[in-house]
Amino acid sequence: MSNSTAKSATPFGFEKGLKVEEVTCDIEEINFGIYVTSQPPKPHSSFSSYVLRIAPQSGLYWVKGISGDIETDSAGTMLKSRADNMIERLAKVYGPPERILFFNPGTIWGESEDFMMGMACNEIHYGASWSKEAHELPSGLGNIYFAINAKSSNTGYMIIEYEFDNHEQGEREVEEVEDGAL
């Protein structure tokens, strides 16, 4: 792994602290401080929509990429294969991740053919994460989270979330503005 701390993080071409008026692509506000786009400055073929969280003063503090639907079987074979490939690609950039494969205690979805239904019921979790405490992340990044989710027993999708190190400040700022409406 190269020393990734020498450069700043720009997932999908978005920089930490970017203000709404500085965003160079078309975005739509879907809730206060939450924006969506399908055309980021640096798109990735595995993801079709992107969500941005932007606070008025702190600017951009969180980016999420969401894939299109991925058809699979009830065991999630194709979905897990696509996820494992993406995790390998991310590991080349950010180093070996903390792998996530978690079954909620007492789940009834423990058999391999139940994988997709277990994920749809939020009882099975599959993915990987990188944190600045355990990894040499690029400057400005705090955490990266990658996961797969199920829409049905034979359809799923991938997500990746980039949390910048101004995340807590941005969340507080948005909460304060929203609390002013109460």
Side-chain angles (χ1 to χ4, degrees):
M1 178 178 84
S2 64
N3 182 1
S4 57
T5 58
K7 63 177 184 156
S8 294
T10 58
F12 307 118
F14 295 112
E15 291 183 48
K16 167 190 156 185
L18 189 69
K19 304 290 193 267
V20 171
E21 60 273 9
E22 297 171 330
V23 176
T24 58
C25 61
D26 288 336
I27 57 174
E28 176 186 352
E29 187 170 21
I30 58 173
N31 207 338
F32 178 73
I34 302 173
Y35 302 84
V36 66
T37 185
S38 61
Q39 296 296 319
K42 291 184 178 178
H44 189 282
S45 64
S46 294
F47 301 96
S48 57
S49 62
Y50 307 83
V51 180
L52 312 172
R53 298 207 60 171
I54 304 174
Q57 299 303 313
S58 302
L60 180 68
Y61 63 91
W62 184 84
V63 176
K64 179 178 191 173
I66 306 166
S67 78
D69 289 350
I70 299 169
E71 298 298 319
T72 191
D73 57 16
S74 63
T77 306
M78 179 57 71
L79 183 59
K80 288 188 282 189
S81 175
R82 294 268 306 270
D84 290 340
N85 177 270
M86 182 59 67
I87 291 168
E88 287 176 25
R89 293 169 73 180
L90 289 162
K92 289 178 184 176
V93 178
Y94 302 110
E98 300 294 323
R99 291 296 302 247
I100 300 165
L101 176 55
F102 178 76
F103 292 76
N104 286 358
T107 183
I108 63 168
W109 308 108
E111 301 297 322
S112 64
E113 66 270 8
D114 295 333
F115 183 82
M116 292 298 290
M117 286 308 298
M119 276 202 321
C121 293
N122 205 30
E123 292 195 12
I124 298 175
H125 308 275
Y126 191 95
S129 66
W130 294 259
S131 67
K132 69 177 177 181
E133 293 80 24
H135 300 83
E136 291 185 35
L137 297 180
S139 176
L141 262 186
N143 296 294
I144 302 168
Y145 174 73
F146 173 83
I148 53 176
N149 292 308
K151 285 186 167 184
S152 70
S153 63
N154 64 353
T155 305
Y157 60 98
M158 301 185 299
I159 63 157
I160 187 163
E161 299 175 355
Y162 294 89
E163 184 179 287
F164 291 103
D165 59 14
N166 64 342
H167 183 266
E168 286 184 33
Q169 180 182 347
E171 282 288 300
R172 274 194 314 273
E173 203 177 307
V174 169
E175 286 174 6
E176 288 172 8
V177 170
E178 287 183 327
D179 288 351
L182 300 177

